[in-house]
């Protein structure tokens, strides 16, 4: 049994995938070929924004955003304490300081109360400029954008949506990737919309930002790649990956529907023994992971070992809060105790999940979890 069955998905759409790949090979236009522009247009339409800019990875997408807004030394970037390092790593590289916030104990997204406390702390200390909020759609679950947008407006902060896990999810009728001032996503293979390598995209409605981002992803080009008008990076979405993503995008809504059914089955069966995902009213999760909480670390480790003995893989997603990592040891944490984040890290584990998970495997996973 695979944790995420990418092979089953490929078997379902193999003919279309192979046809698109072959077309790219025949054209031999491997960098910024026709499929890239076609995918960007269709992806923007799906998300509900004017522009989608493909790039080399989700990390690059965030770096391009930080560069486009000139975020750097002296800036404070507020971020949930439970996320992947890429959410703030590019800002840190550019000289900004990550300010971590506790997570909501139910949704595991950024806690808006903790966020406001951290903003007040930074303002009071006066050493950094409060500059941006990074809202992560954690494990595919949309963040609370009603509250986040109010906070961003009140403190004049940029709101960046990290939708690396959220493509296919929605919040009150809007697709993830369309919130805040600007958004980023990842096409890492295990994502709800994943390619067969690395890839990412930035979403914006601002034509001026669009032009800057297109320049930044190709070494800061002006009229051509040999006319450089700013410092940029080399981060383009490969044509083959765009060709693959075109097919995957065409089946995404069907897959999201299947994900809802499997998640519902899991939750109904497991809710009396484990803490199952909490999806707020008006939200639809992409379920990039199906994550459970055990009673404590001892039970979590025990159930993971037991499932392994039954041939059921698990993943701890993620094992460490950001503020405990060596790389961020000099970042000020304010007066936050991160009680929700620490509790999540001690108790979390994820189980096999995809739109193509067979009913037989679903039953085996549920039975094993209940029998532990």
């Amino acid at each position: 049994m695979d944790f995420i069955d990418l092979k089953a998905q490929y078997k379902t759409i193999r003919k279309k995938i192979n046809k698109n790949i072959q077309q790219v090979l025949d054209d031999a236009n491997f960098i910024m070929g026709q499929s890239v522009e076609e995918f960007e247009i269709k992806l923007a339409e799906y998300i509900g924004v004017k522009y989608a800019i493909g790039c080399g990875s989700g990390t690059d997408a965030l770096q391009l955003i930080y560069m486009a807004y000139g975020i750097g030394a002296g800036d404070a970037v507020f971020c949930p304490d439970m996320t992947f390092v890429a959410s703030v790593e590019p800002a840190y590289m550019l000289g900004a300081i990550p300010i971590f916030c506790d997570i909501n104990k139910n949704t595991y997204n950024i806690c808006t109360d903790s966020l406001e406390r951290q903003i007040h702390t930074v303002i009071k200390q006066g050493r950094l400029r409060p500059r941006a909020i990074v809202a992560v759609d954690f494990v595919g679950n949309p963040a609370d954008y009603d509250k986040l947008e109010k906070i961003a407006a009140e403190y004049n902060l940029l709101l960046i949506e990290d939708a690396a896990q959220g493509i296919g999810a929605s919040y009150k009728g809007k697709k993830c990737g369309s919130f805040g001032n600007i958004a980023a996503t990842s096409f890492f293979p295990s994502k709800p919309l994943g390619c067969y390598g690395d890839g990412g995209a930035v979403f914006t409605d601002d034509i001026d930002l669009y032009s800057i981002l297109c320049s930044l992803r190709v070494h800061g080009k002006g009229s051509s790649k040999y006319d450089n008008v700013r410092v940029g990076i080399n981060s383009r979405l490969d044509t083959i990956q765009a060709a693959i993503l075109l097919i995957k995008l065409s089946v995404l809504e069907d897959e999201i529907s299947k994900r809802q059914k499997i998640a519902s089955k899991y939750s109904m069966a497991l809710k009396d023994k484990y803490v199952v995902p909490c999806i707020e009213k008006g939200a639809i999760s992409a379920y990039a992971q199906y994550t459970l909480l055990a009673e404590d670390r001892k039970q979590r480790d025990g159930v993971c070992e037991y499932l392994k003995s039954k041939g059921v893989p698990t993943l701890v997603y993620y094992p460490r809060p950001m503020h405990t990592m060596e790389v961020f040891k000099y970042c000020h944490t304010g007066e936050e105790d991160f009680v929700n984040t620490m509790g999540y890290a001690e108790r979390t584990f994820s189980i096999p999940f995809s739109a193509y998970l067979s009913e037989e495997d679903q039953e085996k996973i549920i039975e094993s979890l209940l029998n532990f």
Side-chain angles (χ1 to χ4, degrees):
M1 185 188 302
D2 293 319
F3 187 77
I4 297 177
D5 195 349
L6 297 176
K7 290 176 284 188
Q9 183 197 48
Y10 173 64
K11 289 176 183 176
T12 304
I13 55 178
R14 174 167 48 195
K15 289 183 179 179
K16 292 180 179 180
I17 290 279
N18 289 352
K19 181 181 178 181
N20 271 21
I21 291 174
Q22 188 60 55
Q23 186 62 57
V24 175
L25 296 175
D26 291 342
D27 293 344
N29 192 353
F30 303 114
I31 304 295
M32 299 299 289
Q34 181 180 344
S35 293
V36 175
E37 182 179 2
E38 184 181 352
F39 173 65
E40 289 176 338
I41 291 170
K42 289 186 175 180
L43 181 61
E45 289 175 353
Y46 174 80
I47 297 297
V49 295
K50 291 181 180 178
Y51 308 106
I53 303 97
C55 59
S57 68
T59 305
D60 284 358
L62 286 157
Q63 180 167 344
L64 288 166
I65 289 172
Y66 292 130
M67 293 175 71
Y69 280 99
I71 291 174
D75 291 331
V77 176
F78 301 90
C79 178
D81 195 36
M82 180 52 63
T83 185
F84 186 58
V85 67
S87 294
V88 288
E89 182 184 28
Y92 201 30
M93 290 174 64
L94 292 168
I97 301 299
I99 305 295
F100 299 113
C101 308
D102 203 3
I103 60 172
N104 182 289
K105 66 178 182 180
N106 297 317
T107 66
Y108 318 138
N109 281 313
I110 192 168
C111 172
T112 52
D113 291 339
S114 176
L115 170 62
E116 288 208 82
R117 287 195 297 269
Q118 292 292 61
I119 293 170
H120 291 159
T121 296
V122 169
I123 292 172
K124 183 179 179 180
Q125 290 176 343
R127 294 195 297 267
L128 297 171
R129 294 184 300 272
R131 188 69 192 281
I133 302 166
V134 182
V136 180
D137 301 319
F138 191 66
V139 297
N141 195 15
D144 187 346
Y145 288 104
D146 284 347
K147 289 183 181 178
L148 288 169
E149 288 174 352
K150 288 179 182 178
I151 292 170
E154 181 178 353
Y155 297 98
N156 194 29
L157 297 172
L158 176 69
L159 179 57
I160 300 168
E161 180 187 4
D162 181 349
Q165 302 164 353
I167 300 303
S170 60
Y171 179 76
K172 297 186 177 180
K174 284 185 65 177
K175 294 288 188 186
C176 285
S178 66
F179 291 98
N181 301 93
I182 197 164
T185 196
S186 166
F187 302 127
F188 189 78
S190 62
K191 304 298 184 187
L193 180 62
C195 58
Y196 292 160
D198 275 319
V202 180
F203 304 106
T204 182
D205 287 324
D206 188 320
I207 190 169
D208 293 328
L209 268 176
Y210 171 74
S211 297
I212 291 169
L213 291 160
C214 288
S215 167
L216 286 170
R217 71 174 171 180
V218 188
H219 300 286
K221 74 179 184 71
S223 59
S224 75
K225 66 180 180 180
Y226 302 115
D227 173 33
N228 306 94
V229 296
R230 56 177 57 86
V231 175
I233 60 176
N234 177 26
S235 182
R236 298 162 294 194
L237 182 64
D238 291 339
T239 309
I240 283 180
Q241 302 300 348
I244 292 163
L245 286 163
L246 276 166
I247 303 303
K248 290 199 172 191
L249 180 61
S250 71
V251 299
L252 180 60
E253 278 301 290
D254 179 61
E255 291 183 354
I256 292 295
S257 178
K258 291 176 180 177
R259 285 172 177 264
Q260 305 310 304
K261 293 177 182 177
I262 296 170
S264 179
K265 181 176 179 178
Y266 271 165
S267 294
M268 287 299 294
L270 301 171
K271 64 182 180 179
D272 293 333
K273 189 164 184 176
Y274 304 93
V275 178
V276 300
C278 172
I279 312 302
E280 296 284 357
K281 185 178 179 180
I284 296 175
S285 176
Y287 289 106
Q289 303 282 340
Y290 186 90
T291 297
L292 297 166
L293 294 190
E295 290 181 359
D296 52 31
R297 183 165 188 162
K298 182 178 179 181
Q299 188 197 46
R300 189 271 304 278
D301 293 347
V303 73
C304 289
E305 282 298 315
Y306 179 76
L307 290 175
K308 183 179 179 181
S309 74
K310 298 296 180 182
V312 177
T314 58
L315 180 68
V316 175
Y317 199 88
Y318 299 106
R320 291 189 63 181
M322 291 289 101
H323 82 275
T324 68
M325 292 190 178
E326 177 75 13
V327 65
F328 298 124
K329 66 181 179 181
Y330 297 116
C331 295
H332 185 65
T333 56
E335 298 179 3
E336 294 297 291
D337 55 13
F338 304 104
V339 61
N340 295 332
T341 312
M342 297 298 289
Y344 173 90
E346 290 284 313
R347 300 164 61 198
T348 185
F349 68 102
S350 298
I351 57 177
F353 191 88
S354 80
Y356 300 88
L357 189 66
S358 70
E359 289 190 14
E360 180 182 357
D361 282 345
Q362 292 172 44
E363 293 295 341
K364 179 179 180 180
I365 293 162
I366 290 169
E367 182 181 3
S368 298
L369 281 162
L370 294 178
N371 285 342
F372 172 71

